[in-house]
Structures are given as structure tokens and as C-alpha cells.
Amino acid sequence: MGNGPRGVAALIVTWLAIFDAFFLHVANGHFDYHDALTKSLLFLEAQRSGKLPPNNRVPWRGDSALQDGQEAHVDLVGGYYDAGDNVKYGLPMAFTITTLSWAADFYAAELEAAGEMDNVRCAIRWGTDYFLKAAGKEKLHVQVGDPVKDHECWVRPENMNTPRTVLTIDKDHPGTEIAAETAAAMAAASLVFRGVDHTYSRRLLNKAKSLFKFAKAHRGTFDGECPFYCSYSGFNDELLWAATWLYKASRQPTYLKYITDEAIGANVAEFNWDLKYAGAQIVLSELFWEGQKELENFKQHADGYICSNHPDRGMVHLRDGANAQYVTGTSFLFSVYGDLLTRNKQVVQCGDKQITCAQVLDFSQKQMDYLLGANPQGRSYMVGFGTNPPKQAHHRGASVPPLAANEVVNCGMSFANWFNPNVPNPNELTGAFVGGPDKNDFFEDLRSSSSYTEPVTYANSLAVGALARLANRSHPI
């Protein structure tokens, strides 16, 4: 081609063509989704609280919070830390388990084929075992830890010495959202264990029934988890969500009656730990196509959710701070609904435009691909995966090196020692989806920039189903 202007121009065109071909190749389904699935589950294991099992796969994690619940004279050891702090919040923990159970139920064959179903069941059971301890007669312990004190100390959970305050809902202090979400988690999980541990499955379903009854009988919003998990959407979505999973798990008419006669619905454009309508509508759409024609209006609402997130748009960005949860949530719901459309030979009618099942599934994949590397930054937003992944996740356990079990941490110095230094975390938080970029695709890999770098369990639980599907239908480059 020579070295003149024409030769340079030709070279540039050639390289752009190669780059475009590579980008499209990646963006159209050639990440190692199996590896991403495996790592996504590893992150959930890194979030475990309590006495870790002998087969713990996260070497830098150890036992923590072994006295949880003593203040309330109850055993509350176990469960999950929700994000980069050391508090156990009931609402997001339950949502994590509900959505993980949904993935395990709907994509069971794909998870089995990937060899990850046992790990998924273990992740679910780590949560449900905790909820069985937390749920008493007409009461539910919904939080362990003091967020104010916790945020004053940058210390790994194995060495924390901050108060482990217990918050509880009961008939005099209701918390319908949390009780109903926990009921949904137990009911959804009962489906996952039905074929492998019938006794445990029945125990979960019975607890789900009692929690739903409690949630309905004592209605009110619990604000004790504010400002971190305030419910802005109210509790009607959680009641519908719980009734949906209870009906799917039990097929008892009382739950169908609640869904059709009492539940309050809504047209929504998002799905997250606070807003469950779209998820319930998609589950109920599956039952509609199975023959329950009285659920047709929920199928219409599910179509509305798809139309509101038109497949022609780019990455979903709803708000800064853990935005990855909206990306993985959209990917999961579009994945499930796309497969339902395929199974039932249906399309979605959005005004005068039809959206095919292929378009719905393609949009699901594009959302996941964006987080894995098909984005303007050309980088992965999953720790330990792909090109230039995050190195400074906003996470206490990952950013503090292992210390002696009896070492007392000076909270005043903890931020200077481990939070402020602009260096990679000493422990890789493998598989964590960090918050991700802002609406302008800007991303700052700094521990102190929590809106970009803090992970949450429910971003990963929402990713599991979509990743399992993709892992079963494509091959890495």
C-alpha cells in the first residue's frame, strides 16, 4: 500500500474494518458466558456472613459475625452482606434469593448443563437457612448491624467490632414489603428444592405462607432500613409478587384469588429490589400461556414493560449508583420473556410496531454484553473477567488485607490505611458487577467513587439466569 496518504488511509480503513468486525463478533454473543456465570456465583459466596463451609471457594474470606442475634436472644448467624459494607439488610437479601431462585427454576436445564446448579442451590440455601431462623411467629428480624457505625469504620467483616443491632418487624411495627419479599423468596426457593429435598421444600413453602399471611394482616411500610433501602413504591407490588410465587409453588386457589381480585397492578418500565410489578407480570404471563386465561391483563402489562424498554435503545441507565442492577435486571426479564414468546410463538405489539422474540432476546444479550465489555470504554464491569476489569471495587473485605483473627482495627486510621490509597484491592472480588458507568459512559475505577465501583448481590443474582441461557447457546471466541 506504500507510505503515502492513500496508503495510510487504506491502512486505517482496513484496521477499522477489522475492529468493527471484532466488536460486532463480541457484541453478537462470543464472550465466555460460562466463565462469567461461574464468577457471578463466586461473588455471592464472597458476600456470605457467618460460619463458612469447609468447601469455601473464596480463600481471603473467613468466618464473621458469629454472634449475630444475641442482642435479640436469637440465632441470626448467616445470610449475606448486601454490598461493600458489613450490614445484613433483609429486603435486598430476600430479593437476591427470590431472583436467584427464579433463575434456577426457569433456567434449570441450562444451569445443569453448565455444571452450576449445585452452586446455585447452595447460594439459595445460604439465604433461606438464614430466613428460617429470622422468621418467628408473627415477627421477622429484618436487619443486623448499625449502618451509621458500620460506615464509620473501613474494616473487613472478619475483624469488625461495630454494633450488631437487630431490627425487627411485628404486628405493632409492620413491614409489609420485607415480609412479602421474604415470603416470595421462600416460595420461589421451594420450587428449586422440590425435586432434591422435598422436606426442606415443604418447610420453605409453609414459612412463605405464614409470612404472606402476616404481611397482609399487618400492613405498613418499615422505614428502619432507610436511608439505604427505603421503599418508594409501596407494598402492593411485593404483595402481588409474593402471591405470584405462592400460587406458582402451591397452585392453591386462595393465592390466585388474591392475584385476580385483590392485587393492585401497574404499568412499569423497570424492575428492581423496590419495584416488583414487571417480574410478577412476566411470571403470571407464563401461567397465562399455560392456560390460565384470567391472567391475560398481566400478560398485557408484561408486553407494556417490553415496549417501555424498546429494543432499539442502548444500555439501560436509570440512576447513578449500582446501575448495573438495572442492566442485569433488564437482561434477565427480557431473556425470560423472549423465551416465553419463542415457546408460545408470540410477538409483542408496541403501537403499530411488532417486537419479535428474536429482538427481545437480542436486547437481553446486548445488555449483558455491555457489562462484559461491548461498550464505548471497551472494558469489563465484572471484577476478574474480560478486558481491563475493575481493580478497586468499593468493598471492605476485598480492599483490606487478611488480618489476624484477634486484631483490633483502629477505625480512625482504617480509611487512611485501606480506603484512600489509589491502589488495586489486595483481594480480587471475583465475579462482582460493580455499579458501572454513568449515563455518559464515564467510569472511574476508584474505591472512593462508590457509585461506579460498589457491587450489590442482586445485580449478580439477576445476571445468573441470562448468563446461563447465553452460556448454553453460544461459544466464546
Side-chain angles (χ1 to χ4, degrees):
M1 287 185 291
N3 295 321
R6 286 188 178 181
V8 173
L11 184 62
I12 291 173
V13 169
T14 301
W15 276 109
L16 283 174
I18 293 172
F19 175 80
D20 286 343
F22 174 78
F23 183 82
L24 289 172
H25 190 46
V26 171
N28 284 325
H30 298 275
F31 287 105
D32 191 340
Y33 299 113
H34 187 282
D35 185 46
L37 171 63
T38 297
K39 289 176 175 175
S40 191
L41 292 167
L42 272 174
F43 166 67
L44 294 179
E45 293 184 23
Q47 295 301 103
R48 286 174 172 175
S49 178
K51 180 73 175 176
L52 300 186
N55 63 349
N56 168 45
R57 297 189 294 170
V58 185
W60 49 268
R61 280 301 324 277
D63 300 340
S64 64
L66 299 181
Q67 309 302 316
D68 275 5
Q70 283 193 351
E71 174 190 289
H73 307 290
V74 62
D75 176 10
L76 294 177
V77 176
Y80 288 96
Y81 305 113
D82 74 302
D85 54 19
N86 298 329
V87 181
K88 297 191 301 199
Y89 295 100
L91 184 57
M93 192 193 307
F95 181 67
T96 297
I97 299 305
T98 310
T99 50
L100 191 59
S101 298
W102 185 5
D105 179 57
F106 193 85
Y107 287 116
E110 288 81 357
L111 287 167
E112 290 284 6
E116 293 294 348
M117 182 57 93
D118 285 345
N119 289 324
V120 172
R121 287 198 192 101
C122 287
I124 293 169
R125 189 158 186 156
W126 197 266
T128 52
D129 281 352
Y130 173 80
F131 291 136
L132 286 170
K133 294 192 289 186
K137 185 176 177 58
E138 290 210 325
K139 71 166 55 174
L140 177 66
H141 302 293
V142 298
Q143 180 177 310
V144 184
D146 183 329
V148 175
K149 294 296 184 183
D150 182 80
H151 283 74
E152 291 174 353
C153 201
W154 193 262
V155 59
R156 63 200 294 265
E158 292 84 350
N159 296 93
M160 65 180 169
N161 194 29
T162 48
R164 302 302 289 170
T165 308
V166 176
L167 298 185
T168 305
I169 59 173
D170 55 30
K171 60 185 179 63
D172 297 319
H173 307 89
T176 303
E177 291 94 339
I178 307 179
E181 182 60 62
T182 309
M186 303 297 253
S190 75
L191 289 166
V192 179
F193 290 99
R194 182 164 293 172
V196 293
D197 191 337
H198 184 72
T199 300
Y200 189 68
S201 174
R202 291 299 307 173
R203 188 181 176 198
L204 295 178
L205 185 57
N206 288 336
K207 184 59 70 175
K209 292 176 180 178
S210 64
L211 282 168
F212 182 66
K213 183 178 179 180
F214 169 63
K216 281 202 308 172
H218 307 290
R219 301 194 187 195
T221 292
F222 177 71
D223 291 329
E225 294 189 323
C226 284
F228 302 101
Y229 289 103
C230 312
S231 177
Y232 296 102
S233 67
F235 51 68
N236 289 312
D237 56 320
E238 275 86 8
L239 287 172
L240 172 62
W241 180 236
T244 295
W245 283 109
L246 277 160
Y247 181 64
K248 185 172 174 60
S250 72
R251 301 302 168 121
Q252 292 182 357
T254 183
Y255 301 112
L256 181 61
K257 184 177 186 302
Y258 179 84
I259 292 165
T260 57
D261 296 352
E262 299 178 56
I264 297 173
N267 285 306
V268 296
E270 66 178 276
F271 176 67
N272 58 56
W273 61 265
D274 184 37
L275 190 62
K276 321 294 169 53
Y277 285 116
Q281 290 156 3
I282 288 176
V283 175
L284 293 172
S285 295
E286 181 180 12
L287 300 180
F288 164 76
W289 277 313
E290 289 176 0
Q292 306 245 204
K293 298 307 178 185
E294 66 270 44
L295 300 175
E296 183 175 8
N297 64 313
F298 294 101
K299 182 263 180 189
Q300 293 171 350
H301 285 159
D303 282 353
Y305 167 79
I306 299 297
C307 295
S308 296
N309 292 276
H310 202 283
D312 289 340
R313 68 184 288 186
M315 185 200 77
V316 172
H317 186 279
L318 296 180
R319 50 192 66 89
D320 291 333
N323 186 67
Q325 67 176 300
Y326 308 118
V327 183
T328 59
T330 302
S331 181
F332 179 49
L333 264 60
F334 268 65
S335 181
V336 171
Y337 207 61
D339 281 336
L340 289 173
L341 291 169
T342 303
R343 186 185 304 171
N344 294 282
K345 299 180 174 60
Q346 297 288 312
V347 297
V348 177
Q349 192 70 42
C350 300
D352 59 357
K353 183 174 183 179
Q354 281 190 343
I355 306 299
T356 67
C357 55
Q359 289 174 298
V360 173
L361 290 168
D362 182 63
F363 186 66
S364 166
Q365 181 173 341
K366 284 180 178 176
Q367 296 303 302
M368 193 60 65
D369 285 350
Y370 186 98
L371 292 177
L372 297 179
N375 54 63
Q377 293 258 0
R379 68 179 303 159
S380 167
Y381 294 111
M382 174 186 268
V383 177
F385 178 90
T387 301
N388 193 22
K391 299 292 195 300
Q392 292 192 40
H394 179 96
H395 190 274
R396 285 162 172 77
S399 60
V400 179
L403 307 172
N406 59 351
E407 184 167 342
V408 177
V409 172
N410 183 316
C411 288
M413 292 298 298
S414 63
F415 288 87
N417 290 337
W418 303 305
F419 178 78
N420 293 328
N422 185 7
V423 295
N425 289 340
N427 310 308
E428 183 182 271
L429 191 62
T430 306
F433 283 108
V434 297
D438 63 20
K439 63 182 179 181
N440 298 312
D441 286 303
F442 175 76
F443 177 77
E444 187 172 49
D445 189 12
L446 284 176
R447 196 173 302 108
S448 55
S449 298
S450 60
S451 66
Y452 300 112
T453 58
E454 186 166 19
V456 291
T457 56
Y458 36 96
N460 279 62
S461 66
L462 287 164
V464 166
L467 287 171
R469 183 191 186 281
L470 290 168
N472 196 54
R473 288 166 170 79
S474 60
H475 302 282
I477 55 176

